C-alpha cells in the first residue's frame, strides 16, 4: 500500500488501486473458505463418519444445541460457567492487583510468587485437583477456570496500575488530598481500558478452558458432551461443540469486544 | 521510585516485601502440610509425598523417560511453531493477495479453536503417536507466533527499507544488520509466549494422544488415585518451565532483544 | 542580607509607589529553604516573599529546579530544611488556597472541557456537578474564551485551547494563589503571545496572586511585577527585579525593558558558562 502511495500517482488512482487490492484479498480469503468447505463436502462421503463426518451432519448436530432441550441445557450450563468464572476471576484478579499496588508490602508475594505459580501451573492440573476436592460440581468448574483466568486479569490490571499517568495523578493531588476522590475520579477511569482488555482476553480463554474444566469437573455442559461423544465415537458432535465455541468466541470478539474496545480506547486514551 | 530503592527506607521496604513473600510461601506450605495430615492421601497428599513423587519423576528411569519425552516434544513443537509462524507471516507479508487468508481467516480460526478439541481430533485422525502430540501443540502455538512475528515484520516498513537501500544494495547486509535486529524482539517474544503456553498445554496434548510423557503419567496417576503423583507432574511442569526460561530464554532475550523493562 | 535588598538593577525605573511587599504583610514567604533529593542538594537557603495580588515570575536556567518551588509551595513535596509559609500557615495546612496550571494541560481525556472544569471542584470539595456548578464552569470557560467548546473533548482541542481549559480548571476552585508551571512553553509563539495577554487580563480581573515559572526571559519581562532570577544548582535567588512598566508591554519598543532583557540574558549566559565547569 505504501508502494502505491510513494509511486507519485494521483490520490484517486491510488484509492482505486487500493480498493482493487482489497477486493482481491477478500476474494482469496473467502475463496479459500469456500474451497475448504467444498473439499470437506467432497471427501467426507468416502471416509468413515467418526474420522471426518460430513458438514451437513455437523451442522445438524450444531443446530441440536438450540432445538433440543437436553443439548440446549448443556449449552446454557456452559454459558453460566463462563460468565460465572469471568465474574469470580475479575473480582479476585482486581483485588490482587489493587493489593499489590496499594499495599506495597504484599507486592512481591503477589507479583513474584502467587502470579507466577498461577501462570505456569497447568490448567488441566487445576481441573483434576478441582474434581478431587469439590467433586463434579459447578464449584469445581469455577475453581479450575478461575485459576486459569485470574493471572490474565491480574497482569493486565497490574500493568495498568503501574503505568498510570503520573502527571494526571499529581494534578489530582494538587486539587485534593482525599485518596478516595482521586481513586474514583482519576485512577478508576484510567484503569477502564486495561480492565476491558483483560476482559476481552479472558473471554476467549474462558470459552476455551471451560471445555477442559467441564471434561473433568462436571456432569453437564459442553465439556461433558465432548467427553461423552469421544467415548461414543460421535465425532460430529465434537465438531459441533467446537464450532459453537469458535462461533461464540469469534462473534463475541468481532461484534462486541473489538468495537467496544476501540470506543473505549478513543474515549479514555490520550 | 529509583530514589526510594536506593535510600534507607527503600531498602527497608524491600526487606519487608521479601519477608512477606517468603513468609507467605512458607505459611502456605505449612498450612498445606498441616491440613494434609488430617486428610487421606488421595484427597490431599502432603508436601513430603509430592516431593518424593517429584524426585522419582527426575530420577527413576521408568518415570524419567516420560519427563524427557515431554521436554523433547515441547522443544520440538516450539521450534516448529516458530518456523511455521515465520513462514506464514512472511507469506502474508510478501504475497498481498494471501494477507487476509492468513491474518483474517486462518489466524482467528486457530486462535478460537479450543485446545481440547484439537487433542481429541488428533487422536481420531493420527492415533496415539508422537505426531499427534506435536500436531496439537504446533497448531495451538501457531497463532501466537503468527501474531507476534507479523507485528515484527510490520516494524520493517517502507522507510526502513529505503534507509537501508540508501546505504547499501546488499540484501545480505540489510538482512543481517537491519531486518533481523528489528525482528529479534518479536522473535524472542514469540519464543517466550509459545514456550510458556506449550508447557501448560503439554498435559492436554498428552492426555489422549500419547502413551508416554507427563500427561500420560498424570492420567494414569489420576485413575489410580495417586494424587501425590498428579500434583508432582504439575509441579514438574512448573519447574521445567521456570528452568528453561531462566537458563535459555532470559539469556537469549538479554543477548538479542536488549534489556527488558 | 535579605534578597529583597539586592534590588538595584540597571534599566529598572525607581519605584514610584511603595513596593507591595513592604506595605502589606507578604502572602508567601520562603525562609532559608533547603531541599535535598536523593542525595543532591537542589536548593540551598532559598528565600523570597510574594505580596498578595502580586504577579511574580520565577526565572532561571533549565534544570535549576524552578518548578520544584511551586511543588514545595503546593505541599506536593516537603522541604528538607527552612520554612515555607502562606499567610503564616504551612503548605500542608494552606494547600486548599492554591491551584496549579501545569506545563502540560493534564486534562482527563474521558471528560469534556466542561466536565474537566467541573472535575476541579469534584476533587477538592467532593461537590456534586449540579446545574449551578455547570453554570459556574461554563462561565469560567467563557472567561478563557472557550464558550463555544464546552462539549468538546481534549483530543478535539488545540494545544492552546487545552491549556485554557486547564486555566479555567484552576480558577474553578477559586484559589487565592495560582501556581503556573511553564504553562505556555509547549505552545507555538503566536498562541503563547495571545495566552500571555489573556492571563494578564484574567489576573487583573480576578486579583489573584500568581506565581509563574518560566525559562523564557521575554515572557517574564512581559508578565511580571517582579522577577525572581534563580541561580544554578544548588539554587538561591540570584537577583530580584521589579518592573513597573504598564501592560501590555512591548519590549522591542521600550528601551528600558530592552535593557532589562539584555541584562537578564547576560546573566543567563553567565550561568550557562558557569555550568560548563
Amino acid at each position: 500500500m505504501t508502494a502505491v502511495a510513494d509511486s507519485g500517482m494521483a490520490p484517486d488512482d491510488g484509492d482505486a488501486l487500493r480498493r482493487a487490492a482489497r477486493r482481491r484479498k477478500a476474494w482469496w480469503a473467502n475463496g479459500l473458505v469456500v474451497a475448504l468447505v467444498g473439499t470437506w463436502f467432497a471427501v467426507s462421503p468416502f471416509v468413515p463418519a467418526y474420522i471426518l463426518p460430513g458438514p451437513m451432519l455437523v451442522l445438524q448436530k450444531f443446530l441440536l444445541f438450540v432445538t433440543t432441550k437436553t443439548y440446549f441445557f448443556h449449552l446454557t450450563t456452559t454459558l453460566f460457567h463462563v460468565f460465572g468464572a469471568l465474574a469470580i476471576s475479575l473480582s479476585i484478579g482486581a483485588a490482587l492487583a489493587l493489593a499489590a499496588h496499594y499495599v506495597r508490602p504484599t507486592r512481591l508475594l503477589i507479583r513474584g510468587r502467587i502470579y507466577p505459580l498461577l501462570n505456569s501451573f497447568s490448567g488441566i492440573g487445576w481441573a483434576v485437583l478441582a474434581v478431587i476436592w469439590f467433586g463434579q460440581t459447578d464449584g469445581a468448574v469455577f475453581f479450575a477456570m478461575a485459576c486459569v483466568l485470574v493471572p490474565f486479569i491480574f497482569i493486565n490490571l497490574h500493568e495498568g496500575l503501574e503505568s498510570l499517568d503520573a502527571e494526571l495523578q499529581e494534578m489530582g493531588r494538587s486539587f485534593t488530598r482525599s485518596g478516595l476522590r482521586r481513586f474514583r475520579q482519576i485512577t478508576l477511569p484510567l484503569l477502564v481500558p486495561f480492565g476491558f482488555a483483560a476482559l476481552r482476553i479472558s473471554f476467549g480463554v474462558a470459552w476455551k478452558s471451560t471445555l477442559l474444566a467441564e471434561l473433568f469437573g462436571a456432569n453437564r455442559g459442553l465439556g461433558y458432551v465432548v467427553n461423552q461423544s469421544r467415548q461414543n465415537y460421535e465425532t460430529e458432535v465434537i465438531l459441533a461443540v467446537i464450532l459453537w465455541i469458535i462461533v461464540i468466541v469469534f462473534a463475541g470478539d468481532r461484534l462486541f469486544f473489538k468495537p467496544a474496545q476501540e470506543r473505549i480506547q478513543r474515549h479514555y486514551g490520550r | 521510585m529509583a530514589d526510594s530503592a536506593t535510600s534507607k527506607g527503600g531498602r527497608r521496604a524491600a526487606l519487608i516485601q521479601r519477608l512477606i513473600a517468603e513468609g507467605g510461601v512458607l505459611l502456605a506450605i505449612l498450612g498445606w502440610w498441616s491440613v494434609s495430615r488430617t486428610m487421606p492421601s488421595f484427597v490431599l497428599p502432603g508436601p513430603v509425598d509430592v516431593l518424593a513423587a517429584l524426585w522419582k519423576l527426575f530420577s527413576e528411569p521408568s518415570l524419567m523417560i516420560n519427563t524427557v519425552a515431554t521436554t523433547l516434544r515441547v522443544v520440538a513443537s516450539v521450534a516448529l511453531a516458530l518456523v511455521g509462524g515465520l513462514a506464514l507471516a512472511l507469506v502474508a507479508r510478501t504475497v498481498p493477495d494471501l494477507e487476509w487468508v492468513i491474518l483474517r481467516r486462518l489466524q482467528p480460526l486457530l486462535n478460537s479453536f479450543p485446545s481440547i478439541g484439537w487433542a481429541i481430533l488428533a487422536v481420531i485422525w493420527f492415533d496415539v503417536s508422537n505426531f499427534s502430540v506435536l500436531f496439537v501443540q504446533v497448531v495451538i502455538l501457531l497463532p501466537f507466533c503468527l501474531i507476534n512475528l507479523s507485528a515484527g515484520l510490520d516494524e520493517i516498513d517502507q522507510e526502513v527499507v529505503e534507509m537501508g537501500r540508501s546505504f547499501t544494495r546488499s540484501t545480505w547486509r540489510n538482512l543481517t544488520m537491519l531486518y533481523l535486529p528489528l525482528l529479534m524482539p518479536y522473535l524472542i517474544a514469540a519464543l517466550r509466549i509459545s514456550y510458556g503456553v506449550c508447557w501448560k498445554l503439554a498435559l492436554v496434548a498428552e492426555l489422549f494422544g500419547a502413551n508416554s510423557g507427563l500427561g500420560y503419567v498424570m492420567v494414569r496417576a489420576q485413575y489410580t488415585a495417586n494424587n501425590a503423583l498428579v500434583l508432582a507432574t504439575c509441579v514438574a511442569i512448573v519447574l521445567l518451565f521456570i528452568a528453561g526460561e531462566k537458563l535459555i530464554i532470559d539469556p537469549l532475550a538479554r543477548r538479542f532483544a536488549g534489556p527488558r523493562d | 542580607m535579605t534578597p529583597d535588598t539586592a534590588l538595584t538593577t540597571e534599566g529598572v525605573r525607581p519605584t514610584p509607589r511603595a513596593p507591595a511587599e513592604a506595605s502589606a504583610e507578604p502572602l508567601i514567604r520562603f525562609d532559608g529553604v533547603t531541599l535535598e533529593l536523593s542525595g543532591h542538594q537542589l536548593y540551598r537557603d532559598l528565600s523570597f516573599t510574594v505580596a498578595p495580588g502580586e504577579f511574580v515570575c520565577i526565572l532561571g536556567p533549565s534544570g535549576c529546579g524552578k518548578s520544584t518551588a511551586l511543588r514545595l509551595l503546593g505541599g506536593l513535596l516537603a522541604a528538607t530544611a527552612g520554612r515555607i509559609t502562606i499567610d503564616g500557615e504551612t503548605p500542608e495546612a494552606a494547600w486548599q488556597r492554591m491551584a496549579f496550571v501545569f506545563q502540560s494541560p493534564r486534562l482527563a481525556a474521558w471528560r469534556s472541557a466542561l466536565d474537566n472544569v467541573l472535575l476541579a471542584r469534584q476533587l477538592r470539595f467532593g461537590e456534586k456537578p449540579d446545574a449551578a456548578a455547570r453554570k459556574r464552569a461554563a462561565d469560567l470557560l467563557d472567561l478563557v474564551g472557550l464558550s463555544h467548546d464546552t462539549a468538546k473533548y481534549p483530543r478535539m482541542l488545540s494545544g492552546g485551547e487545552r491549556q485554557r481549559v486547564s486555566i479555567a480548571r484552576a480558577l474553578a476552585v477559586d484559589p487565592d494563589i495560582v501556581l503556573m508551571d511553564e504553562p505556555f512553553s509547549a505552545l507555538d509563539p503566536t498562541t503563547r503571545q495571545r495566552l500571555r495577554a489573556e492571563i494578564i487580563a484574567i489576573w487583573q480581573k480576578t486579583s489573584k496572586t500568581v506565581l509563574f515559572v518560566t525559562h523564557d526571559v521575554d515572557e517574564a519581562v512581559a508578565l511580571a511585577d517582579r522577577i525572581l532570577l534563580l541561580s544554578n544548582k544548588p539554587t538561591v535567588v540570584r537577583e530580584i527585579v521589579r518592573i513597573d512598566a504598564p501592560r501590555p508591554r512591548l519590549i522591542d519598543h521600550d528601551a528600558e525593558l530592552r535593557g532589562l532583557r539584555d541584562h537578564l540574558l547576560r546573566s543567563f549566559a553567565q550561568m550557562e558558562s558557569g555550568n560548563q565547569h
Side-chain angles (χ1 to χ4, degrees), chain C residues 193 221-222 245-255 257-258:
Chain C
Q193 291 287 353
V221 174
R247 300 177 180 87
R249 296 171 181 157
L250 297 167
I251 302 174
D252 290 326
H253 302 282
D254 184 320
L257 289 178
R258 266 207 317 271

Side-chain angles (χ1 to χ4, degrees), chain A residues 14-16 23 34-35 42 44 66 79 105 107 129 138 141 203 221 234 259:
Chain A
D15 272 2
R23 259 202 308 280
V34 171
S44 56
V66 278
L79 217 65
R107 203 179 137 89
L129 292 175
D138 288 339
V141 174
F203 179 76
E234 292 175 307

Side-chain angles (χ1 to χ4, degrees), chain B:
Chain B
M1 228 149 282
D3 304 332
S4 68
T6 52
S7 71
K8 209 168 151 193
R11 272 201 303 275
R12 224 179 96 99
L15 188 71
I16 290 176
Q17 274 193 35
R18 178 116 261 162
L19 277 176
I20 288 183
E22 313 305 2
V25 172
L26 203 68
L27 218 67
I29 292 175
L30 272 177
W32 172 17
W33 177 73
S34 65
V35 173
S36 73
R37 278 162 52 98
T38 66
M39 286 193 178
S41 153
F42 66 87
V43 176
L44 187 67
V48 181
D49 296 341
V50 173
L51 213 61
L54 188 64
W55 175 245
K56 279 186 192 161
L57 280 177
F58 286 96
S59 61
E60 208 167 87
S62 63
L63 282 173
M64 204 174 76
I65 271 186
N66 295 298
T67 315
V68 173
T70 299
T71 310
L72 289 178
R73 284 179 195 139
V74 166
V75 172
S77 311
V78 170
L80 285 172
L82 277 176
V83 172
L86 185 61
L88 282 173
L90 277 172
V91 170
R93 176 83 184 170
T94 49
V95 188
D97 284 351
L98 294 183
E99 188 190 329
W100 286 12
V101 173
I102 292 168
L103 295 181
R104 296 204 186 180
R105 295 293 180 272
L106 186 64
Q107 191 248 307
L109 174 76
L110 293 181
N111 207 21
S112 47
F113 210 101
S115 55
I116 203 99
W118 285 125
I120 293 171
L121 291 177
V123 184
I124 294 172
W125 292 339
F126 311 116
D127 275 329
V128 174
S129 63
N130 271 326
F131 182 80
S132 172
V133 176
L134 286 184
F135 171 79
V136 174
Q137 294 183 350
V138 169
V139 92
I140 293 170
L141 297 184
L142 214 48
F144 292 97
C145 295
L146 182 55
I147 290 174
N148 271 285
L149 293 174
S150 59
L153 288 180
D154 281 348
E155 198 81 342
I156 307 166
D157 58 9
Q158 203 61 36
E159 288 187 6
V160 173
V161 172
E162 219 171 64
M163 188 275 277
R165 267 178 63 81
S166 79
F167 283 108
T168 177
R169 296 293 143 99
S170 154
T171 314
W172 175 249
R173 282 189 207 146
N174 271 321
L175 198 69
T176 52
M177 292 183 192
L178 215 51
Y179 306 160
L180 215 54
L182 274 174
L183 190 62
M184 219 52 200
Y186 295 88
L187 209 61
I188 297 285
L191 173 67
R192 191 183 284 280
I193 293 171
S194 41
Y195 176 78
V197 172
C198 200
W199 272 114
K200 287 200 276 183
L201 199 68
L203 293 183
V204 179
E206 293 172 347
L207 195 63
F208 310 115
N211 46 24
S212 64
L214 288 173
Y216 174 71
V217 170
M218 197 190 74
V219 180
R220 274 202 322 184
Q222 196 218 344
Y223 286 146
T224 55
N226 183 354
N227 267 325
L229 193 53
V230 169
L231 263 172
T233 51
C234 294
V235 176
I237 295 264
V238 173
L239 291 180
L240 286 167
F241 160 72
I242 294 174
E245 185 158 85
K246 293 271 181 272
L247 296 179
I248 298 167
I249 296 186
D250 283 350
L252 273 179
R254 273 197 298 276
R255 169 74 182 74
F256 291 112
R260 281 167 63 78
D261 306 325

Side-chain angles (χ1 to χ4, degrees), chain A residues 10-228:
Chain A
D12 287 344
D13 289 352
D15 272 2
L17 272 179
R18 255 196 295 277
R19 266 201 304 279
R22 284 172 68 90
R23 259 202 308 280
R24 277 220 308 284
K25 286 178 186 181
W27 197 91
W28 275 96
N30 297 328
L32 183 92
V33 172
V34 171
L36 271 180
V37 175
T39 318
W40 185 6
F41 263 108
V43 171
S44 56
F46 306 101
V47 184
Y50 77 91
I51 290 185
L52 188 67
M56 291 318 286
L57 190 57
V58 173
L59 190 67
Q60 189 196 334
K61 297 292 177 192
F62 179 81
L63 294 175
L64 277 187
F65 283 88
V66 278
T67 52
T68 66
K69 228 174 171 172
T70 3
Y71 280 111
F72 187 65
F73 166 71
H74 288 304
L75 183 64
T76 48
T77 302
T78 296
L79 217 65
F80 166 65
H81 285 157
V82 165
F83 285 104
L86 277 175
I88 294 169
S89 313
L90 206 60
S91 325
I92 298 175
L96 286 177
L98 289 174
H101 189 75
Y102 288 107
V103 192
R104 279 284 145 153
T106 66
R107 203 179 137 89
L108 188 65
L109 175 66
I110 294 171
R111 174 71 220 252
R113 301 289 180 273
I114 296 176
Y115 167 70
L117 178 74
L118 286 179
N119 196 35
S120 57
F121 208 89
S122 184
I124 208 165
W126 291 123
V128 169
L129 292 175
V131 184
I132 297 166
W133 293 338
F134 304 103
Q136 292 200 319
T137 58
D138 288 339
V141 174
F142 286 142
F143 174 81
M145 288 178 73
C147 287
V148 173
L149 294 177
V150 162
F152 286 97
I153 291 171
F154 165 77
I155 199 67
N156 265 283
L157 291 177
H158 178 73
E159 302 277 319
L161 278 165
E162 292 299 300
S163 67
L164 283 182
D165 187 339
E167 291 206 328
L168 217 52
Q169 302 268 85
E170 197 192 36
M171 184 278 288
R173 221 158 74 78
S174 83
F175 277 108
T176 183
R177 298 293 141 103
S178 154
L180 187 67
R181 278 183 214 150
R182 283 208 305 274
F183 183 76
R184 275 191 43 200
Q185 305 286 2
I186 294 171
T187 309
L188 222 47
L190 282 175
L191 277 181
V192 167
F194 292 93
F196 196 81
L199 200 64
R200 183 179 176 184
I201 297 170
S202 313
F203 179 76
V205 176
W207 276 102
K208 290 192 276 175
S209 66
T210 182
L211 277 193
L212 197 64
E214 289 172 349
L215 192 79
F216 289 94
N219 43 25
R220 54 211 182 92
L222 294 181
Y224 170 78
V225 172
V226 164
N227 206 18
Q228 291 297 307

